[in-house]
């Protein structure tokens, strides 16, 4: 087992070797959070504490393909301007020697508490599903958000229900009516996904309260990254189930991330869930996490990637880095549907503006519009039953016969197309960065996130279809 000091020395040596390749890569994004080098995945420990937003994240500094996990750390006063900090958590004790896995933050009594899963894999002939693995819930706390206490192991395999396998992880903690609660995602011995609910009076001593949901035949073998919060007084359960089959236009990634509107019974022993729906229809979205902002907004970040995806690639591996996070999104509930809105703070990134009104889609138009790929584009449609937009060489956004489709060519590196059924398209709101695009349909009713790797800057937007469109483009 390595110490923190040994890790620091090894990481610094690796940084000296690779940073020139990382920082000179044209696909490094301008305004999306990335790891300084290596690999980034799940956002962790999201919170607002003492005037700063904190985003921790799963970080493999030594391997762009995803190796031993640490917790990286960024802060921002405004969710726009970010400062990188030294690694927050290292896999440096016996209970997390094989990885500081995902977790969450809670602010209590003017201190930040971080909870995470410490991963341990024993040597030997193990499948690491039923044998050979420890999944430990570990807590640290901080009075300033940067210096952390000694690690305290709170839960081990012995504290989980006997019908669960050895995949139990990703604690999300919250306070409600003077009591603390923690959900953990789990995989049962018969390969079904569950959520476990624990309760505490002091954030240290935890007892299993219930197994409120899971065991469904068509909802996968593992429920990762569970999260629960309220919108408009309704319980929302957000999670990332693994092992769901594709259904029509839905669930085409190897693993999914989504939500169900639910309701806990009074004792919190049963969580009744409605229909599961995807949060993002694109190729690159997984492991979202929320936090409640100081102004009451529910804000979500996601990982712009998917684990175990083999059908598409990220060429940045050759330059010693891979993946990024999504933009922060405010979640709003309308009926039983979540709408995702880029947070208002992002408007501060806007620079030069170009606006065009009442453009007819009846004739194909090619407009020279883009200086580079860091831009925001908003399009408002009128009387348009079909259209096709082409930008960034081979990114095609089309709508016809009630189906909206995002399609990529060579720039997708294996990403082909994803679609969703919608009655009409009123607007598209697009955030483009050097190697990622986020597309918000109809004020966030549907969202598509995809990585994209262009070799040249295509300055043109091509429009064709029916009806009219007003557009505004901001350089970012």
């Amino acid at each position: 087992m390595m110490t923190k000091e040994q890790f620091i020395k090894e990481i610094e040596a690796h940084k000296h070797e690779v940073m020139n390749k990382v920082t000179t890569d044209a696909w490094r994004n301008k305004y999306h959070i990335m790891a300084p080098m290596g690999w980034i995945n799940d956002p962790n420990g999201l919170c607002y504490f003492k005037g700063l937003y904190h985003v921790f994240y799963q970080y493999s500094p030594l391997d762009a393909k995803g190796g031993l996990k640490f917790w990286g750390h960024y802060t921002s006063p405004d969710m726009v301007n970010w400062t990188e900090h030294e690694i927050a958590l290292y896999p440096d004790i016996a209970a997390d020697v094989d990885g500081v896995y995902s977790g969450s933050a809670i602010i209590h009594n003017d201190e930040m508490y971080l909870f995470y899963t410490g991963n341990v894999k024993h040597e030997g002939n193990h499948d690491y599903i039923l044998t050979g693995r420890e999944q430990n819930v570990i807590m640290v706390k901080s009075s300033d958000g940067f210096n952390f206490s000694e690690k305290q192991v709170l839960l081990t395999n012995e504290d989980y229900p006997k019908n669960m396998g050895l995949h139990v992880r990703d604690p999300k903690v919250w306070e409600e009516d003077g009591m603390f609660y923690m959900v953990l995602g789990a995989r049962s011995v018969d390969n079904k996904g569950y959520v476990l609910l624990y309760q505490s009076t002091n954030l240290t001593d935890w007892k299993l309260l219930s197994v409120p949901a899971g065991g469904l035949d068509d909802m996968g073998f593992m429920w990762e990254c569970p999260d629960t919060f309220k919108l408009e007084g309704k319980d929302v359960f957000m999670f990332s189930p693994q092992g769901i089959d594709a259904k029509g236009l839905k669930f085409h990634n190897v693993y999914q991330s989504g939500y169900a509107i639910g309701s806990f019974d009074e004792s919190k022993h049963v969580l009744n869930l409605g229909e599961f729906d995807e949060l993002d229809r694109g190729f690159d979205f997984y492991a979202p996490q929320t936090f409640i902002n100081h102004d009451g907004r529910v804000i979500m970040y996601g990982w712009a990637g998917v684990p175990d995806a083999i059908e598409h690639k990220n060429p940045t591996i050759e330059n010693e880095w891979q993946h990024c996070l999504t933009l922060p999104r405010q979640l709003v509930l309308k009926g039983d549907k979540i709408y995702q809105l880029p947070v208002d703070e992002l408007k501060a990134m806007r620079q030069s503006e170009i606006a065009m009104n009442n453009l007819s889609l009846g004739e194909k138009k090619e407009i020279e519009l883009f200086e580079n790929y860091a831009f925001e584009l908003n399009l408002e449609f009128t009387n348009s039953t079909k259209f096709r937009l082409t930008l960034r060489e081979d990114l095609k956004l089309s709508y016809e016969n009630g189906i909206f489709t995002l399609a990529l060519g060579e720039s997708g590196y294996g990403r082909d197309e994803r679609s969703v059924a919608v009655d009409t398209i009123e607007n598209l709101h697009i955030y483009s960065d050097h190697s990622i695009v986020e597309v918000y349909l109809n004020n966030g009713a549907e969202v598509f996130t995809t990585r994209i790797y262009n070799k040249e800057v295509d300055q043109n937007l091509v429009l064709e279809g029916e009806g009219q469109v007003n557009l505004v483009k901001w350089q970012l």
Side-chain angles (χ1 to χ4, degrees):
M1 180 172 64
M2 292 178 63
T3 65
K4 175 180 176 179
E5 290 72 25
Q6 289 171 324
F7 277 124
I8 290 173
K9 185 176 181 180
E10 183 176 359
I11 291 167
E12 282 299 314
H14 184 66
K15 182 177 181 179
H16 181 74
E17 292 179 4
V18 306
M19 281 305 287
N20 185 61
K21 292 180 72 174
V22 173
T23 57
T24 58
D25 189 343
W27 287 320
R28 291 288 284 180
N29 289 307
K30 183 175 183 179
Y31 58 88
H32 284 78
I33 291 176
M34 301 171 292
M37 63 182 181
W39 162 290
I40 184 174
N41 58 294
D42 308 1
N44 293 157
L46 305 180
C47 60
Y48 183 80
F49 183 58
K50 296 188 175 181
L52 289 174
Y53 293 97
H54 290 257
V55 171
F56 301 89
Y57 58 90
Q58 290 286 280
Y59 181 27
S60 295
L62 299 171
D63 188 351
K65 295 181 180 179
L68 186 63
K69 298 299 191 301
F70 302 68
W71 270 31
H73 187 197
Y74 281 96
T75 62
S76 172
D78 53 15
M79 291 188 284
V80 173
N81 300 288
W82 292 95
T83 299
E84 175 198 340
H85 298 282
E86 66 180 36
I87 291 172
L89 298 174
Y90 293 77
D92 58 359
I93 65 171
D96 65 13
V97 67
D98 292 307
V100 179
Y101 278 16
S102 285
S104 60
I106 186 171
I107 308 304
H108 178 65
N109 287 341
D110 208 32
E111 288 190 298
M112 175 194 294
Y113 290 75
L114 300 181
F115 297 81
Y116 69 93
T117 295
N119 186 51
V120 180
K121 298 176 77 172
H122 297 292
E123 293 184 3
N125 185 23
H126 298 293
D127 64 3
Y128 300 109
I129 300 171
L130 299 176
T131 66
R133 183 188 293 268
E134 298 175 34
Q135 301 269 262
N136 304 302
V137 174
I138 302 173
M139 181 266 285
V140 298
K141 60 183 179 179
S142 174
S143 60
D144 62 6
F146 301 99
N147 299 285
F148 297 96
S149 66
E150 289 190 10
K151 297 173 179 178
Q152 186 172 354
V153 179
L154 306 179
L155 299 172
T156 69
N157 290 3
E158 298 301 315
D159 298 301
Y160 309 138
K162 300 305 180 186
N163 65 326
M164 297 298 147
L166 302 183
H167 283 214
V168 180
R169 55 180 173 265
D170 308 336
K172 180 68 189 293
V173 177
W174 76 99
E175 184 178 6
E176 185 177 333
D177 298 329
M179 192 70 69
F180 298 103
Y181 297 93
M182 173 197 297
V183 283
L184 290 166
R187 176 177 183 169
S188 68
V189 294
D190 61 348
N191 294 319
K192 292 184 179 179
Y194 285 86
V195 59
L196 314 181
L197 179 63
Y198 288 77
Q199 188 179 55
S200 174
T201 59
N202 58 11
L203 290 171
T204 301
D205 302 302
W206 294 87
K207 292 184 178 180
L208 180 67
L209 179 62
S210 64
V211 184
L216 305 175
D217 288 335
D218 59 350
M219 281 303 298
F221 57 80
M222 173 67 191
W223 288 5
E224 287 201 309
C225 304
D227 193 351
T228 182
F229 50 91
K230 289 186 181 292
L231 289 174
E232 301 296 330
K234 295 182 179 181
D235 292 312
V236 180
F237 180 56
M238 192 171 76
F239 60 117
S240 297
Q242 297 183 336
I244 296 181
D245 294 330
K247 298 177 182 177
L249 298 178
K250 295 182 177 181
F251 314 143
H252 282 266
N253 289 343
V254 60
Y255 301 138
Q256 318 307 322
S257 291
Y259 69 96
I261 306 301
S263 59
F264 276 108
D265 67 354
E266 190 172 346
S267 66
K268 289 194 182 294
H269 280 74
V270 177
L271 174 59
N272 296 300
L273 296 176
E275 183 179 356
F276 175 78
D277 197 12
E278 288 176 290
L279 279 161
D280 195 296
R281 312 290 183 179
F283 296 94
D284 295 277
F285 184 85
Y286 194 73
Q289 185 178 107
T290 66
F291 70 102
I292 311 300
N293 198 32
H294 56 87
D295 57 11
R297 288 178 295 169
V298 177
I299 297 176
M300 179 189 76
Y301 282 84
W303 170 32
V306 177
D308 300 333
I310 59 174
E311 71 278 4
H312 57 255
K313 307 295 181 185
N314 295 307
T316 60
I317 292 174
E318 297 178 4
N319 290 322
E320 303 292 345
W321 71 281
Q322 188 175 190
H323 299 308
C324 64
L325 300 185
T326 69
L327 293 175
R329 304 172 183 177
Q330 180 184 357
L331 303 185
V332 176
L333 192 66
K334 298 182 181 181
D336 281 343
K337 185 172 183 61
I338 286 181
Y339 285 64
Q340 302 169 65
L341 309 172
V343 296
D344 283 342
E345 286 86 344
L346 298 177
K347 294 176 182 176
M349 298 191 300
R350 293 173 177 172
Q351 298 177 14
S352 59
E353 175 184 322
I354 296 175
M356 299 181 182
N357 294 323
N358 300 316
L359 295 175
S360 174
L361 296 173
E363 296 181 4
K364 184 176 180 179
K365 288 181 171 57
E366 187 167 325
I367 304 168
E368 187 173 321
L369 194 61
F370 308 118
E371 301 170 28
N372 55 48
Y373 286 146
F375 63 83
E376 177 186 355
L377 178 64
N378 191 60
L379 302 109
E380 301 283 342
F381 295 91
T382 303
N383 300 322
S384 182
T385 58
K386 68 176 182 179
F387 62 77
R388 184 168 71 172
L389 315 180
T390 304
L391 62 158
R392 298 193 60 152
E393 296 182 301
D394 58 6
L395 171 60
K396 292 179 170 47
L397 307 175
S398 61
Y399 180 64
E400 189 169 8
N401 298 323
I403 303 294
F404 176 86
T405 298
L406 179 152
L408 289 164
E410 183 179 340
S411 69
Y413 278 77
R415 298 162 178 85
D416 46 19
E417 64 179 47
R418 293 285 186 267
S419 300
V420 66
V422 286
D423 291 336
T424 186
I425 298 287
E426 298 174 359
N427 53 65
L428 295 181
H429 192 179
I430 301 168
Y431 278 89
S432 169
D433 208 338
H434 294 158
S435 61
I436 183 173
V437 173
E438 300 184 38
V439 181
Y440 298 79
L441 279 67
N442 293 340
N443 302 308
E446 305 289 349
V447 185
F448 289 70
T449 300
T450 186
R451 301 305 303 277
I452 179 171
Y453 301 99
N454 303 100
K455 294 191 170 71
E456 304 289 340
V457 175
D458 179 2
Q459 296 183 328
N460 295 320
L461 172 67
V462 179
L463 300 160
E464 53 190 315
E466 296 178 352
Q468 293 81 40
V469 64
N470 295 338
L471 71 81
V472 184
K473 171 250 171 182
W474 294 271
Q475 202 64 36
L476 301 180

